[in-house]
Amino acid sequence: MKELSISALNQSLKNKDFTSVELTEYFLKRIKKYNKDLNAVITSFDEKALNSAKLADEKIATGAAPDLCGIPILHKDIFCTKGELTTCGSKMLANFVSPYNATVVENFEKSGLISLGKTNMDEFAMGSSNETSYFGVVKNPWALDCVPGGSSGGSAAAIAARLAPAATATDTGGSIRQPAALCGVTGIKPTYGSVSRWGMIAFASSLDQGGPIAKTSEDCAMLLKCMASFDHKDSTSIENKRPDYVSKLYQPINGLKIGLPKEYFSEGLHPGTQKAVENAIEVLKGLGAKITEVSLPNSKLSVPAYYVIAPAEASANLSRYDGVKYGYRCKNPVDLEDLYVRTRSEGFGEEVQRRIMIGTYCLSSGYYDAYYKKAQLAKELIIQDFQTAFSDVDLIIGPTCPSPAFQHGTKSDNPVEMYLEDVYTIAVNLAGLPGMSIPCGLVSKKPVGMQIIGNYLEEPAMLQVAHQFQNVTDWHKAVPGNF
Amino acid sequence: MSISFEEIRKLARLSKLQISTENECLVKERLENVLALVDQLQEAETKNTHVESSRTDYSQRLRSDKEVRAVNRIELQDCAPEISEGFYKVPRIID
Amino acid sequence: MSWETVIGLEVHVQLSTNTKIFSSASTEFGNEQNSQANEIDLALPGTLPVLNKAALEYAIMFGLAIDAEINNESVFERKNYFYPDLPKGYQTTQLEKPIVGKGSVPITLSDGVIKNIGIHHAHLEEDAGKSLHSESHRDGYSLVDLNRAGTPLIEIVSEPDMRSAAEAVAFAKKLHSIVTAIGICDGDMSQGSMRFDVNISVRPAGSSEFGTRTETKNLNSFKFMEDAINLEVNRQIRVLEDGGKIMQETRLYNGVTKKSQSMRSKEEANDYRYFPCPDLLPVHVSKEFINNLRKDLPELPENKKNRYKEQYGLSEYDANELTENFLFAKFFEDSMQLFDKPKLLANWILGDVASKLNQANITLKDSLISPKHLVELLKRIEDKTISNKIAKEVFEEIFEGKGNADSIIKEKGLSQISDAKFLEELVSKVISDNPNMVEDYIKTDEGKRKKKLGGFMGQVMQKSKGQANPQQASELLIKHLNDIID
């Protein structure tokens, strides 16, 4: 059951090959068995999941169940789930039971999917290795001494270890794509505004986007169809009709123009990774794609710009955590100042505190122009780069990460080393473009991911290329040994 | 780009964070690492660039002035650390 | 040394929308604590703002009412600081690109001259919550109510064009009359619907440099504003004349003690780190949108005043007083529908009605007097059922809800006595009872006799319990007295 695709599961449930209860129990058991080795799941819903599965089975029996009804899904612990813990990987929200559901969660529940539980993540989505979570580090199923990537490390690891057929995740600078790459699974961050941010705890509002992680592109397309929706409660939600994500999947990619940014294939790229991605590109050529070189000359500005804009927005977004309305509160505050300072210093981890201070610095009087305003202008240059490239090509392809998964603790001393993990993914968030990662090789038994970037609302073409690639390759089928 | 201890303390005050004296040096070092990264922005040639008003040309949507549903105070205060007769209780505010 | 005062005002006006500026919780005043703070107002993790259309419309209507520029594009920004009544840890407001640009508000000075007070801009923002504090500071606590958090405000920033407390008060009153007349604010200052921050500085008369200014915050009555300004101006002059310097600071005025004090200054001025709010998109308003609002804009007080002068022949003073207070104007017009005597109505509304309201410390809204009540009373004066003097007594009773004109007149037997026979007898009696007064009257020069009538009238009124028709009685007295003289 763990290897079945979403559409196969869908079919099997409808055919009554097995019930949703059986399916849910199966995955809950896997979580129980393997999570202690991975620490991918913070909260398992158990009772609640089985109850939902029972209801799903009843619905399926009527013959009028929606697509995907009865399929279990894990939610990154950044999505508010009513009546259950939503921790955001932080001590600050370790006891927070949300009184409302995120729109993403509502969308899936309305379609009858079974919420299995909440996955581990870097604290407040700040990280590229899932090492900053209050609930402990997550281990990469491919190499337990290595990181799964972050911030959606829990979701990616869970899919890799087949603890669920689907998981939700979020991506602000690469947090879906990078862990998907390091764990050998498929993940997509859609165009900014596609997925509602209502109930998706904010890190950097202008960059955050939710998206699915699953075993294949086809799975992701079906999940995205359910996940993405116009939401009037989110002012940044796109009002126009969303594209039909599954529409192009099965079409051949002859003549599709693909650009390879020369800046993404230069220094800093691990040779094994480079080789894997180049091989993958050969496969695409074989499928009829036309490959050209493109240039994104302002690429080197992406990481600096991101590390101004994201922390700046985060510094304001995280001001609400003050021990007054919800969440952690320090013991016996002597006065108001003490309440704020101790609550926040005890409730937030080091990386979060650092980013808040960087953000405060970049917005402060005297520095606003040199940093925040400058970063916004740099962002414009990056957007222009992409628009220039997309006037020549349909999609842009390159490596997702500079190297395969690294060992825990090896990048913790210098924050900037960690930040450079996102060197290929960050520009996509700054531009608001859609980006996805699919597995395209193994280097020393550790997965390598290929990133596909499209122009606004071009997810169908991206999913199409990915699906066609997965039709003729097996990388996405590889499962780490013990799972 | 270096940052002084005084500036770090000011940032901490503005952000309501506390940096213990033992940690000050490490915090300074790591902040300076990040500042060195973001200072690379100064190399950007942005003289002729301006910020587009909105990437996707959307305008702020307007909501109709109707109450959607009554507030369920009990439900919303369930997660509150300290409540007193429906008020949020905090140490005394001194102006 | 002669000093000139320079005053600028920042006025916070609570918009009378049904729901908050960024959430759909109700803005109704006076309900149980935190019963109107929803998940957005509480800043629960994951919540997001969406702009209330009515709040935007009301802001634009204000701009139109003061002939200001309406900006096609305006942007919301985050003003960052920590305070328990500010749930998000930032206030969503506008800074670089406010909705309303430059405008002006004409005020009438005491000598009748009209002065234009410049408006720098007006912007939309959200209000904070409220807190109550325990008595003691030590081991004390505060209780936070977030019902008010998120209520839409427009902040109106004037140019430093005012030169006296009187001008500032005139300006504040004018703003009050405008926002109530166009229906964007209920104007109830006791409920905090309008709050004033005053920026005051002084400079040597004739100087063109501005002195250092201080800010006095949160004044919620015209009287307090006037007193606070005068107090501060005097304080600043004293400091400067003693050779000191004015510190730029924020002060609080206590209307009870009539003293002001400097707010405890923080270690450094708060750096608010404004930046555009990424959860909201730029607000774009089309010319069409603005024109539709312009078309439906209710009559402005200035126009109403001029109309009253032309249409009803009211004086500048009366017309101004009536139109400055939106409730009075409405009362007046409703009364006019029933009784076409504008001057009489104006006198009563601005006189008796206003003074009773003042005494009872309530507004027309809360009083028991209706246009119908007033008109009934005035009709009884007109048809001579009662005299003007008696009418005032009856009015008191109506005000206290003891009935309407007719019921009270009947109950208390206050009908004016116009019975000629009765009055003849009464006048005769008074004259015959007071031979000394009669002598005095006869001895007085003709031109000055009228004054002496008062004594006789007093007796007539006393004997008739005030119900004698004064005009008739007066005529009869004069006739009888003249008969005696002849």
Side-chain angles (χ1 to χ4, degrees):
Chain A
M1 271 198 261
K2 63 187 175 81
E3 294 309 324
L4 290 176
S5 71
I6 300 255
S7 74
L9 285 173
N10 208 23
Q11 209 39 57
S12 298
L13 285 167
K14 292 211 161 62
N15 294 343
K16 313 243 179 18
D17 296 340
F18 44 74
T19 62
S20 174
V21 170
E22 284 167 342
L23 192 59
T24 302
E25 268 171 351
Y26 173 79
F27 284 111
L28 286 174
K29 275 206 193 82
R30 284 187 68 81
I31 292 172
K32 246 201 186 67
K33 181 171 181 193
Y34 295 113
N35 196 45
K36 50 182 156 16
D37 297 323
L38 299 172
N39 199 25
V41 175
I42 293 178
T43 307
S44 179
F45 287 167
D46 296 338
E47 195 68 50
K48 182 175 161 152
L50 289 171
N51 288 337
S52 306
K54 271 192 210 106
L55 290 172
D57 282 327
E58 285 166 21
K59 236 266 145 102
I60 294 170
T62 68
D67 272 340
L68 309 187
C69 182
I71 294 180
I73 186 166
L74 282 167
H75 289 296
K76 180 175 180 181
D77 213 4
I78 199 172
F79 290 103
C80 288
T81 41
K82 183 171 176 169
E84 300 286 344
L85 284 176
T86 300
T87 71
C88 222
S90 179
K91 179 175 181 182
M92 188 61 88
L93 293 177
N95 66 352
F96 176 63
V97 174
S98 173
Y100 77 103
N101 268 336
T103 297
V104 160
V105 172
E106 280 290 322
N107 284 357
F108 281 120
E109 287 190 357
K110 270 198 211 112
S111 288
L113 282 89
I114 315 301
S115 297
L116 272 182
K118 312 297 287 295
T119 58
N120 206 342
M121 52 180 281
D122 275 310
E123 187 180 4
F124 281 102
M126 299 185 199
S128 308
S129 63
N130 221 140
E131 290 177 291
T132 67
S133 170
Y134 175 65
F135 297 92
V137 304
V138 174
K139 304 201 175 108
N140 191 324
W142 289 90
L144 296 177
D145 63 335
C146 288
V147 303
S151 62
S152 314
S155 288
I159 299 296
R162 307 303 195 246
L163 303 186
T168 56
T170 64
D171 189 314
T172 306
S175 295
I176 288 178
R177 294 160 283 155
Q178 186 251 15
L182 297 190
C183 289
V185 293
T186 300
I188 179 167
K189 177 205 90 69
T191 306
Y192 181 78
S194 299
V195 170
S196 168
R197 291 188 302 112
W198 174 262
M200 194 175 104
I201 298 177
F203 157 22
S205 318
S206 71
L207 306 171
D208 294 341
Q209 251 314 257
I213 297 183
K215 298 190 292 294
T216 65
S217 171
E218 188 191 47
D219 283 358
C220 283
M222 299 178 86
L223 290 167
L224 191 56
K225 189 171 172 182
C226 187
M227 199 170 176
S229 63
F230 166 66
D231 188 357
H232 65 271
K233 296 193 290 298
D234 174 3
S235 291
T236 59
S237 181
I238 299 177
E239 272 181 80
N240 295 341
K241 210 165 181 308
R242 277 139 187 75
D244 184 345
Y245 302 116
V246 302
S247 60
K248 283 186 177 166
L249 281 178
Y250 312 110
Q251 291 169 20
I253 59 170
N254 293 65
L256 198 69
K257 287 181 282 178
I258 292 176
L260 309 179
K262 65 177 198 254
E263 293 82 5
Y264 288 4
F265 289 89
S266 61
E267 41 164 291
L269 183 56
H270 185 281
T273 300
Q274 183 160 3
K275 194 93 195 78
V277 175
E278 282 168 354
N279 289 342
I281 289 165
E282 285 305 307
V283 172
L284 293 176
K285 261 200 208 145
L287 291 170
K290 299 273 174 274
I291 313 291
T292 43
E293 192 187 70
V294 293
S295 174
L296 301 170
N298 290 291
S299 293
K300 61 186 179 326
L301 296 176
S302 15
V303 178
Y306 176 85
Y307 279 99
V308 168
I309 296 174
E313 295 184 9
S315 70
N317 283 331
L318 268 59
S319 292
R320 63 191 61 198
Y321 302 105
D322 56 9
V324 178
K325 299 93 57 188
Y326 45 77
Y328 179 77
R329 179 170 173 136
C330 65
K331 283 192 173 41
N332 306 320
V334 308
D335 58 27
L336 195 61
E337 186 71 12
D338 189 38
L339 172 70
Y340 287 151
V341 172
R342 268 200 303 131
T343 294
R344 291 165 64 80
S345 304
E346 292 168 13
F348 288 140
E350 189 198 326
E351 183 62 35
V352 168
Q353 293 191 35
R354 179 168 34 253
R355 294 206 195 186
I356 289 174
M357 290 209 284
I358 295 283
T360 304
Y361 183 82
C362 293
L363 291 174
S364 59
S365 141
Y367 295 114
Y368 180 85
D369 284 355
Y371 291 105
Y372 190 79
K373 253 188 153 161
K374 188 81 177 178
Q376 294 290 347
L377 294 173
K379 182 175 123 167
E380 279 307 309
L381 293 175
I382 291 165
I383 292 172
Q384 283 167 29
D385 278 0
F386 277 113
Q387 290 313 299
T388 306
F390 282 126
S391 61
D392 288 328
V393 300
D394 300 309
L395 298 173
I396 290 172
I397 285 186
T400 307
C401 314
S403 57
F406 50 91
Q407 287 179 306
H408 289 113
T410 51
K411 294 203 194 219
S412 307
D413 286 332
N414 183 345
V416 174
E417 252 195 79
M418 187 69 81
Y419 297 167
L420 291 172
E421 266 298 294
D422 295 325
V423 66
Y424 305 127
T425 51
I426 271 181
V428 171
N429 299 82
L430 287 170
L433 295 167
M436 78 184 288
S437 179
I438 58 173
C440 69
L442 284 170
V443 170
S444 317
K445 297 211 189 75
K446 288 192 284 197
V448 171
M450 172 168 75
Q451 181 176 216
I452 305 169
I453 304 169
N455 208 345
Y456 302 107
L457 302 174
E458 286 296 326
E459 292 87 350
M462 295 156 60
L463 292 158
Q464 172 195 18
V465 164
H467 177 75
Q468 294 301 318
F469 178 84
Q470 289 176 341
N471 261 349
V472 298
T473 57
D474 284 337
W475 301 114
H476 59 286
K477 292 186 186 158
V479 187
N482 302 325
F483 303 95
Chain B
M1 173 71 159
S2 74
I3 182 170
S4 68
F5 284 116
E6 187 46 52
E7 282 192 282
I8 293 176
R9 283 176 210 132
K10 179 171 160 210
L11 289 178
R13 269 199 301 274
L14 284 175
S15 330
K16 301 295 180 204
L17 292 171
Q18 189 176 64
I19 308 195
S20 63
T21 23
E22 313 91 73
N23 276 339
E24 266 191 335
C25 288
L26 188 60
V27 167
K28 180 178 194 298
E29 189 189 307
R30 291 190 174 166
L31 275 179
E32 284 172 349
N33 284 338
V34 182
L35 290 177
L37 169 70
V38 303
D39 274 333
Q40 290 172 27
L41 269 182
Q42 305 312 319
E43 294 164 21
E45 184 47 71
T46 56
K47 252 203 316 257
N48 299 320
T49 322
H50 63 275
V51 179
E52 298 284 320
S53 79
S54 174
R55 210 18 44 204
T56 40
D57 289 328
Y58 283 123
S59 303
Q60 175 60 38
R61 198 168 46 247
L62 304 175
R63 172 177 59 81
S64 99
D65 189 24
K66 280 204 231 13
E67 191 181 359
V68 169
R69 85 187 146 264
V71 164
N72 184 334
R73 186 178 80 184
I74 297 181
E75 197 179 64
L76 293 175
Q77 288 190 337
D78 201 37
C79 54
E82 203 169 337
I83 296 286
S84 171
E85 287 170 33
F87 288 99
Y88 290 94
K89 193 170 178 188
V90 296
R92 198 184 190 289
I93 300 166
I94 299 165
D95 266 324
Chain C
M1 164 82 97
S2 179
W3 297 94
E4 182 180 45
T5 303
V6 175
I7 300 170
L9 250 58
E10 283 163 24
V11 186
H12 289 93
V13 173
Q14 251 183 20
L15 301 179
S16 53
T17 54
N18 295 322
T19 63
K20 306 214 176 154
I21 188 172
F22 296 119
S23 88
S24 60
S26 162
T27 54
E28 214 180 69
F29 182 84
N31 290 322
E32 230 187 72
Q33 53 276 16
N34 292 307
S35 61
Q36 281 165 215
N38 71 11
E39 61 271 6
I40 297 170
D41 305 317
L42 297 178
L44 251 47
T47 52
L48 297 168
V50 183
L51 181 60
N52 181 340
K53 184 175 188 195
L56 179 65
E57 288 175 336
Y58 285 12
I60 294 173
M61 283 162 68
F62 175 74
L64 292 172
I66 62 164
D67 255 325
E69 304 163 1
I70 308 295
N71 291 321
N72 299 98
E73 178 175 281
S74 64
V75 171
F76 282 101
E77 309 216 20
R78 294 183 180 180
K79 177 180 181 183
N80 298 282
Y81 64 97
F82 285 87
Y83 209 71
D85 67 7
L86 194 68
K88 294 190 293 294
Y90 60 83
Q91 178 198 32
T92 306
T93 177
Q94 297 185 310
L95 185 76
E96 304 224 336
K97 289 184 168 181
I99 179 69
V100 172
K102 292 199 179 308
S104 78
V105 173
I107 58 171
T108 309
L109 302 179
S110 54
D111 53 2
V113 172
I114 300 202
K115 177 173 177 176
N116 274 323
I117 305 295
I119 299 293
H120 183 266
H121 77 272
H123 67 257
L124 276 165
E125 62 181 26
E126 57 181 341
D127 208 346
K130 277 200 191 136
S131 35
L132 309 170
H133 310 296
S134 66
E135 280 291 314
S136 67
H137 283 235
R138 168 162 271 233
D139 293 334
Y141 58 87
S142 294
L143 300 174
V144 183
D145 174 13
L146 295 171
N147 278 354
R148 199 181 68 178
T151 302
L153 298 175
I154 45 171
E155 180 176 333
I156 303 163
V157 181
S158 82
E159 299 287 6
D161 288 349
M162 289 154 275
R163 297 286 173 268
S164 68
E167 287 185 16
V169 170
F171 172 71
K173 283 186 170 171
K174 197 54 182 286
L175 277 184
H176 184 274
S177 71
I178 292 173
V179 300
T180 50
I182 64 178
I184 65 171
C185 174
D186 69 11
D188 190 335
M189 301 196 7
S190 66
Q191 288 184 3
S193 297
M194 260 180 107
R195 284 129 40 194
F196 305 94
D197 295 344
V198 197
N199 292 313
I200 302 162
S201 67
V202 298
R203 61 186 178 189
S207 160
S208 56
E209 294 265 315
F210 284 121
T212 307
R213 65 166 200 252
T214 63
E215 182 185 21
T216 303
K217 286 183 86 73
N218 264 331
L219 298 159
N220 70 345
S221 86
F222 301 126
K223 186 80 182 69
F224 284 176
M225 184 179 5
E226 188 176 359
D227 291 345
I229 293 173
N230 288 328
L231 187 72
E232 179 59 11
V233 166
N234 289 337
R235 186 193 74 87
Q236 287 195 14
I237 291 176
R238 261 202 323 276
V239 168
L240 291 171
E241 284 182 342
D242 280 348
K245 273 171 74 165
I246 303 297
M247 301 296 296
Q248 180 168 8
E249 61 184 356
T250 303
R251 300 182 71 85
L252 280 178
Y253 174 75
N254 186 323
V256 173
T257 63
K258 299 209 192 299
K259 291 200 165 79
S260 77
Q261 67 183 81
S262 180
M263 278 177 81
R264 183 183 299 200
S265 64
K266 289 153 191 153
E267 276 168 47
E268 72 253 315
N270 231 330
D271 178 356
Y272 293 118
R273 291 156 280 133
Y274 286 91
F275 72 102
C277 181
D279 285 329
L280 294 165
L281 301 179
V283 180
H284 293 129
V285 289
S286 66
K287 284 205 169 28
E288 197 188 324
F289 189 87
I290 297 172
N291 284 335
N292 282 337
L293 290 172
R294 192 192 310 255
K295 254 193 332 200
D296 294 332
L297 198 66
E299 189 180 30
L300 296 178
E302 193 69 27
N303 298 339
K304 203 190 286 272
K305 180 185 80 171
N306 293 333
R307 179 165 67 83
Y308 282 11
K309 281 164 75 177
E310 267 178 50
Q311 232 180 314
Y312 305 128
L314 293 180
S315 68
E316 162 74 30
Y317 179 81
D318 283 355
N320 192 50
E321 290 291 299
L322 273 178
T323 55
E324 207 174 62
N325 185 325
F326 177 67
L327 294 170
F328 277 9
K330 183 158 196 325
F331 193 95
F332 174 73
E333 292 190 18
D334 288 345
S335 304
M336 283 292 290
Q337 300 267 15
L338 305 167
F339 191 57
D340 192 359
K341 299 264 184 251
K343 292 205 176 111
L344 186 59
L345 281 170
N347 283 342
W348 271 82
I349 292 172
L350 295 174
D352 299 77
V353 176
S355 90
K356 276 310 282 182
L357 290 174
N358 256 341
Q359 240 175 57
N361 205 16
I362 55 174
T363 66
L364 250 181
K365 193 171 48 142
D366 302 319
S367 84
L368 298 165
I369 288 277
S370 72
K372 188 160 172 288
H373 284 138
L374 182 63
V375 165
E376 281 171 0
L377 182 65
L378 297 184
K379 280 189 174 156
R380 289 291 163 263
I381 301 178
E382 195 188 36
D383 67 19
K384 300 201 199 299
T385 305
I386 49 175
S387 66
N388 207 45
K389 188 158 182 284
I390 296 289
K392 287 183 195 282
E393 273 180 50
V394 177
F395 177 72
E396 295 255 348
E397 304 281 306
I398 299 176
F399 192 84
E400 272 153 50
K402 300 215 176 119
N404 67 356
D406 284 340
S407 70
I408 293 169
I409 291 172
K410 186 163 182 200
E411 198 188 299
K412 299 213 156 181
L414 294 171
S415 274
Q416 193 163 247
I417 299 169
S418 307
D419 180 339
K421 192 154 170 284
F422 176 85
L423 284 176
E424 276 271 0
E425 281 179 27
L426 183 58
V427 164
S428 301
K429 184 142 198 327
V430 167
I431 288 179
S432 62
D433 280 350
N434 294 283
N436 293 339
M437 277 170 69
V438 174
E439 269 225 39
D440 189 33
Y441 183 84
I442 295 174
K443 285 205 183 120
T444 312
D445 287 332
E446 242 190 274
K448 297 195 181 144
R449 276 181 188 161
K450 203 149 187 215
K451 274 202 197 143
K452 300 289 180 180
L453 266 180
F456 293 103
M457 278 295 280
Q459 296 243 353
V460 169
M461 283 305 177
Q462 198 191 49
K463 285 189 162 43
S464 67
K465 295 200 189 61
Q467 285 166 246
N469 180 328
Q471 218 173 323
Q472 262 179 278
S474 171
E475 283 168 15
L476 282 172
L477 274 169
I478 293 175
K479 180 166 166 295
H480 281 230
L481 287 165
N482 284 346
D483 283 346
I484 295 175
I485 293 170
D486 291 334

